[in-house]
């Protein structure tokens, strides 16, 4: 059978689940694999739920995993809030710049990822007219 190469990312499935355990995700993905036996994705994007990512590796071992940028950005913003930094980020340009840099980390080329994250650590105080962020 000839493989069809898709160039678009589309949702694989929507499921209402009672559990978010690795076993539950494994059962769901195995069911999908049974009803679509030719399904062999190259790429799988999801939120950062470890149980789902583990199940994907088990059921689709060839698939390259990727976290969803929207979920990443949401997690960063929630973390800023949990640290009580919303007002600082709202009122301080350096703090806003630092959060934006953190949001851009996943967009860095893999070979520059470490350097990009190191720059974020330096940005709080290295701007030409910088005031310390925290």
């Amino acid at each position: 059978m000839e493989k069809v190469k898709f160039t678009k990312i589309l949702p694989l499935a929507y499921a209402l689940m009672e559990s978010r355990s690795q076993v539950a995700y494994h059962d769901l993905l195995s069911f999908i694999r049974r009803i679509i036996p030719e399904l062999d994705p190259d790429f799988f994007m999801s939120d950062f739920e470890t149980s789902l990512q583990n199940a994907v590796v088990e059921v689709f071992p060839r698939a390259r995993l990727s976290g969803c940028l929207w979920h990443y950005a949401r997690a960063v913003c929630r973390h800023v809030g949990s640290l009580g930094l919303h007002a600082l980020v709202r009122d301080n340009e350096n703090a806003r710049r630092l959060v934006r840099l953190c949001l851009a980390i996943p967009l860095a080329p893999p070979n520059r990822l470490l350097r990009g994250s190191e720059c974020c650590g330096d940005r709080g105080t290295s701007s030409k007219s910088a005031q310390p962020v925290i």
Side-chain angles (χ1 to χ4, degrees):
M1 176 188 274
E2 185 177 323
K3 270 192 149 182
V4 177
K5 187 74 168 174
F6 293 99
T7 57
K8 300 210 186 252
I9 298 174
L10 300 171
L12 173 62
Y14 293 98
L16 297 174
M17 300 176 64
E18 293 180 357
S19 171
R20 295 185 338 187
S21 70
Q22 186 170 331
V23 171
Y25 283 124
H26 186 278
D27 290 347
L28 172 67
L29 294 171
S30 295
F31 172 75
I32 292 169
R33 183 113 200 212
R34 276 194 307 278
I35 62 174
I36 313 172
E38 65 276 7
L39 182 64
D40 187 19
D42 295 322
F43 180 80
F44 196 99
M45 181 183 288
S46 70
D47 62 9
F48 294 89
E49 203 169 326
T50 305
S51 55
L52 174 57
Q53 291 180 341
N54 290 340
V56 168
V57 169
E58 291 173 357
V59 178
F60 301 111
R62 242 184 32 80
R64 186 171 54 102
L65 286 174
S66 177
C68 171
L69 186 59
W70 182 85
H71 283 97
Y72 171 76
R74 184 174 174 212
V76 168
C77 292
R78 280 186 174 183
H79 191 64
V80 166
S82 74
L83 295 173
L85 299 175
H86 273 299
L88 177 66
V89 171
R90 182 190 64 226
D91 299 335
N92 183 298
E93 180 58 35
N94 288 330
R96 274 194 304 280
R97 187 176 304 121
L98 181 60
V99 170
R100 279 192 236 112
L101 285 168
C102 289
L103 293 173
I105 288 172
L107 303 175
N111 63 335
R112 309 254 336 236
L113 194 56
L114 183 58
R115 178 68 184 123
S117 62
E118 288 169 352
C119 285
C120 285
D122 296 341
R123 291 294 174 161
T125 58
S126 65
S127 176
K128 289 178 182 155
S129 63
Q131 305 289 326
V133 173
I134 298 175

